[in-house]
């Protein structure tokens, strides 16, 4: 009987220690979990798990940047999907600059509403800004190529895609180095190169053709003067008559 009592007491002590240990572990675990919850950023749930948009909205958003998402892409959280759109927009260089800037601003927010708003409307608004910039650049490029082609025609230089594709300053260098460029064109081109981008543009739009006209006028004057001297030498040039352009 005494031995049975001692055994029971021993069992009670073991069980009591086990309960105390379990309770302590549970308390510690609870504190750790609570601390982890406090340490987590406010938007962590939205960034990792939040899905507030549907497949159609996501496909429409991706179409703005000419991207076709996979079925797996459509399962991403809104935050991760925005990051994917940001990455795909960057693969086109500077084409979607406004989209990437807007996406970066949205990812900096922990608000699930901001993430949804970007996918539903924000990327479309940014895409419009990018497309307008692209259209403006394309129009400016067309105007620049037209102006360069007019310079080449005026000076008498054969037009090639390589010449038309040169930057303004290198285009001017190519023009003034060409055998067809006269002294006035060379002089005007060198003066433009000594200036800035606005001076380069002015030479291409107006300066080159004006200089070419001066070269032509000078050639005509030289030709008339040569003819006059030749006629005088032969005695066929009327006395008192001067070159029409000289008298002008």
């Amino acid at each position: 009987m005494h031995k049975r009592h001692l055994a029971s007491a021993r069992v009670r002590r073991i069980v009591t220690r086990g309960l105390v240990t379990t309770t302590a572990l549970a308390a510690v675990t609870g504190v750790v979990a609570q601390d982890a919850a406090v340490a987590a950023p406010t938007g962590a749930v939205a960034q990792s798990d939040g899905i507030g948009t549907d497949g159609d909205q996501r496909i429409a958003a991706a179409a703005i940047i000419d991207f076709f998402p996979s079925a797996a892409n459509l399962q991403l959280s809104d935050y991760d999907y925005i990051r994917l759109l940001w990455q795909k927009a960057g693969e086109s260089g500077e084409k979607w600059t406004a989209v990437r800037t807007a996406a970066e601003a949205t990812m900096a927010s922990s608000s699930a509403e901001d993430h949804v708003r970007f996918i539903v409307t924000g990327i479309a608004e940014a895409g419009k800004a990018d497309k307008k910039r692209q259209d403006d650049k394309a129009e400016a490029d067309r105007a620049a190529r037209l102006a360069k082609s007019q310079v080449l025609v005026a000076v008498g230089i054969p037009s090639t895609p390589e010449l038309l594709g040169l930057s303004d300053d290198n285009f001017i260098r190519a023009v003034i180095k060409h055998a067809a460029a006269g002294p006035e064109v060379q002089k005007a081109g060198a003066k433009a190169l000594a200036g800035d981008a606005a001076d380069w543009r002015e030479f291409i739009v107006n300066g080159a053709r004006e200089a070419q006209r001066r070269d032509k006028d000078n050639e005509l004057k030289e030709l008339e003067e040569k003819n006059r001297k030749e006629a005088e030498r032969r005695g066929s040039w009327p006395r008192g008559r001067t070159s029409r352009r000289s008298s002008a």
Side-chain angles (χ1 to χ4, degrees):
M1 184 71 179
H2 179 66
K3 291 181 178 180
R4 187 181 298 115
H5 176 74
L6 290 175
S8 297
R10 188 179 299 110
V11 169
R12 284 197 299 272
R13 286 197 299 272
I14 293 171
V15 171
T16 300
R17 283 200 299 271
L19 289 174
V20 170
T21 302
T22 302
T23 303
L25 286 172
V28 171
T29 303
V31 171
V32 172
Q34 184 178 5
D35 289 344
V38 172
T42 305
V45 174
Q47 291 181 5
S48 61
D49 300 320
I51 299 179
T53 54
D54 59 35
D56 290 340
Q57 291 169 329
R58 292 176 171 220
I59 291 172
I64 299 296
I65 57 172
D66 305 317
F67 168 56
F68 301 95
S70 66
N73 294 152
L74 297 178
Q75 300 304 313
L76 295 171
S77 68
D78 287 340
Y79 178 88
D80 288 336
Y81 191 70
I82 294 170
R83 179 176 290 279
L84 175 65
L85 294 175
W86 172 82
Q87 177 186 350
K88 293 299 180 181
E91 292 176 359
S92 299
E94 297 182 355
K95 183 177 181 180
W96 303 111
T97 302
V99 168
R100 279 176 61 84
T101 300
E104 288 166 3
T106 302
M107 288 189 292
S109 170
S110 61
S111 169
E113 292 180 357
D114 289 341
H115 302 160
V116 170
R117 188 179 300 112
F118 176 83
I119 294 172
V120 176
T121 61
I123 190 172
E125 293 169 359
K128 286 180 181 177
D130 276 327
K131 287 180 179 178
K132 184 180 185 307
R133 177 177 52 79
Q134 293 164 22
D135 291 342
D136 291 345
K137 184 178 184 301
E139 180 59 33
D141 288 344
R142 282 193 293 271
R145 290 175 72 87
L146 175 60
K148 288 175 181 177
S149 67
Q150 290 173 339
V151 169
L152 297 177
V153 170
V155 177
I157 301 173
S159 179
T160 65
E162 290 74 20
L163 276 175
L164 296 178
L166 291 174
S167 61
D168 287 352
D169 55 335
N170 286 330
F171 176 79
I172 296 172
R173 291 186 180 94
V175 168
I176 64 178
K177 289 178 180 178
H178 198 278
E184 290 295 325
V185 169
Q186 293 174 350
K187 186 192 307 181
K191 182 178 179 181
L193 287 174
D196 55 20
D199 296 313
W200 307 341
R201 191 79 192 123
E202 175 59 25
F203 173 83
I204 293 171
V205 174
N206 298 307
R209 282 177 289 172
E210 292 173 356
Q212 177 64 15
R213 282 194 290 270
R214 291 195 298 271
D215 275 327
K216 289 294 184 184
D217 287 344
N218 290 338
E219 287 177 8
L220 288 175
K221 288 179 183 178
E222 290 176 2
L223 180 59
E224 287 190 358
E225 180 64 16
K226 180 180 179 180
N227 290 339
R228 184 187 67 79
K229 289 182 177 179
E230 180 64 20
E232 284 183 347
R233 186 182 66 80
R234 294 180 178 181
S236 59
W237 190 269
R239 292 185 178 182
R241 180 178 174 182
T242 59
S243 168
R244 176 174 58 82
R245 288 188 173 271
S246 297
S247 61

